[in-house]
């Protein structure tokens, strides 16, 4: 061990010791600066990464299936008599011999179809026509195989003499119910009361409001031409209700669906609702330059568009067959806003179609080909499901 023996050696030792302490301090400071630099570097890298990630966020999309279907399910009646309605033909002791076993089979069949329409996911919205009352909707959603899909529903309570109404089934995780109301059709001339219109408003996952109208316009009983004024009257009331929504919403998102008892070429669709086929992208060749110019007609947000109007021009296309001829009595109509493919919720006519599930069809023994497999043909029980085929369209619901 070194021990200094003189003042000069002590001074020299202090100077050397002090210098070594300075060296240590400098060394510590140096490594501290390096360490701080590394931390700063990684912090900066994290910030840059977050900024880059933020710029890439629009590409990190979640696309959620959102299928909308509409279906006339042909007289879904329970087996109990409603003293306020003329439902006698669908009682056990009536000519149709409608009983519990047939009723339960009908519920199971309707549930199976709705499940099959959805394919991999249950349809988000299902408009139904010809449901008798709240009892049959409760049985359908809670006591049939459909209970596994957790549907909720809203429906009308119409003055229709037979007691049939329209309803909307919805998936609560995709459509948050805001409000619903029945829109009555006031008495018209000598015609008997008809079904109310159902207007439902709900909130989408995008935060936007979707307005849905489910309709079952007056029948063709007595002749198509003779009964047409009643359908035009009901369609006019529907048009006024839709117009009021168009005026209220800044970006109206409207779906109209149901059985209109009219074809796309009839006046209720063409003249009253003015629902036309969606615009298409045209391909104009420029002969002078040899280039191809694409021009797109932008859908008007205040215009109504019929998603199946163009497809129905094809032979043997339809949801209903009458005297060997297929036709489209069931309709899917949307506001132009819902055709805007730059939005977070949109559809197109390519995504709309008639649902041709094999078990919905049977051989048409009289006219050939196929026809809907009905529950009844006249008064004869066939054990089928409905005289109408469901229609549907797929929406793109995009979350960022």
């Amino acid at each position: 061990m070194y021990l200094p023996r003189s003042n000069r050696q002590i001074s020299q030792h202090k100077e050397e010791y002090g210098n070594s302490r300075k060296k240590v301090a400098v060394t510590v400071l140096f490594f501290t600066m390096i360490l701080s630099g590394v931390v700063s570097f990684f912090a900066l890298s994290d910030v840059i990464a977050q900024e880059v990630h933020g710029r890439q966020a629009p590409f990190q999309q979640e696309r959620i299936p959102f299928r909308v279907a509409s279906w006339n399910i042909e007289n879904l009646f329970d087996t109990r008599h409603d003293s306020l309605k003329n439902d006698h033909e669908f009682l056990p002791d009536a000519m149709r011999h409608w009983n519990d076993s047939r009723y339960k089979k009908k519920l199971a069949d309707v549930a199976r179809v709705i499940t099959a329409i959805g394919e991999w996911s249950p349809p988000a919205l299902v408009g139904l026509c010809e449901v008798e009352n709240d009892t049959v909707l409760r049985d359908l959603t809670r006591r049939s195989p459909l209970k596994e899909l957790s549907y909720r529903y809203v429906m009308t309570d119409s003055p229709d003499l037979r007691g049939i109404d329209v309803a909307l089934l919805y998936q609560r995780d995709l459509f948050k119910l805001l409000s619903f109301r029945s829109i009555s059709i006031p008495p018209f001339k000598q015609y008997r009361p008809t079904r109310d219109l159902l207007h439902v408003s709900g909130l989408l996952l995008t935060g936007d409001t979707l307005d849905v109208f489910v309709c079952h316009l007056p029948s063709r009983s007595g002749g198509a031409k003779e009964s047409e004024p009643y359908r035009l009257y009901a369609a006019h009331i529907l048009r006024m209700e839709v117009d009021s929504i168009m005026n209220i919403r800044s970006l109206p998102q409207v779906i109209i669906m149901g059985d209109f008892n009219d074809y796309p070429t009839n006046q209720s669709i063409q003249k009253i609702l003015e629902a036309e086929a969606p615009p298409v992208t045209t391909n104009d060749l420029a002969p002078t330059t040899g280039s191809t110019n694409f021009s797109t007609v932008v859908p008007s947000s205040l215009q109504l568009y019929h998603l199946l109007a163009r497809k129905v021009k094809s032979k043997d296309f339809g949801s209903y067959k009458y005297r060997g001829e297929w036709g489209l009595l069931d309709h899917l109509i949307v506001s132009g806003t819902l055709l805007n493919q730059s939005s977070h919720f949109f559809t197109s006519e390519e995504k709309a179609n008639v649902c041709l599930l094999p078990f919905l069809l049977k051989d048409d023994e009289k006219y050939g080909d196929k026809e809907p497999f009905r529950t009844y043909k006249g008064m004869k029980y066939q054990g089928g499901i409905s005289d109408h085929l469901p229609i549907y369209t797929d929406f793109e619901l995009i979350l960022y």
Side-chain angles (χ1 to χ4, degrees), residues 224-244:
K225 185 175 182 180
E226 290 77 9
S227 59
E228 184 179 42
Y230 200 9
R231 287 189 296 282
L232 296 179
Y233 177 66
H236 180 68
I237 294 173
L238 172 61
R239 178 78 237 197
M240 289 192 299
E241 293 291 336
V242 172
D243 284 344
S244 67

Side-chain angles (χ1 to χ4, degrees), residues 315-326:
K315 185 181 179 181
D316 296 333
F317 183 92
S319 61
Y320 185 82
K321 196 173 187 182
Y322 180 67
R323 294 180 178 175
E325 297 291 331
W326 283 99

Side-chain angles (χ1 to χ4, degrees), residues 179-213:
S179 65
F180 73 96
R181 65 191 182 100
S182 290
I183 303 166
S184 62
I185 308 298
F188 181 73
K189 297 183 178 180
Q190 77 279 11
Y191 295 100
R192 64 185 186 184
T194 189
R195 279 78 54 176
D196 290 354
L197 309 172
L198 177 62
H199 174 211
V200 186
S201 297
L203 202 63
L204 299 171
L205 293 178
T206 60
D208 298 320
T209 300
L210 178 66
D211 290 283
V212 181
F213 291 87

Side-chain angles (χ1 to χ4, degrees), residues 220 228 232 261-271:
R220 294 189 160 210
E228 184 179 42
L232 296 179
N261 278 305
D262 264 339
Y263 300 106
T265 54
N266 288 132
Q267 291 189 57
S268 61
I269 305 294
Q270 287 200 338
K271 297 292 180 66

Side-chain angles (χ1 to χ4, degrees), residues 293-321:
N293 298 322
F294 294 96
S295 60
T296 302
V297 179
V298 179
S300 169
S301 61
L302 299 180
Q303 174 68 41
L304 294 177
Y305 296 96
H306 196 305
L307 296 178
L308 295 171
R310 193 170 282 113
K311 289 183 178 179
V312 80
K313 295 178 182 179
S314 302
K315 185 181 179 181
D316 296 333
F317 183 92
S319 61
Y320 185 82
K321 196 173 187 182

Side-chain angles (χ1 to χ4, degrees), residues 213-227:
F213 291 87
V214 185
C215 315
H216 188 187
L217 298 195
S219 74
R220 294 189 160 210
S221 177
K225 185 175 182 180
E226 290 77 9
S227 59

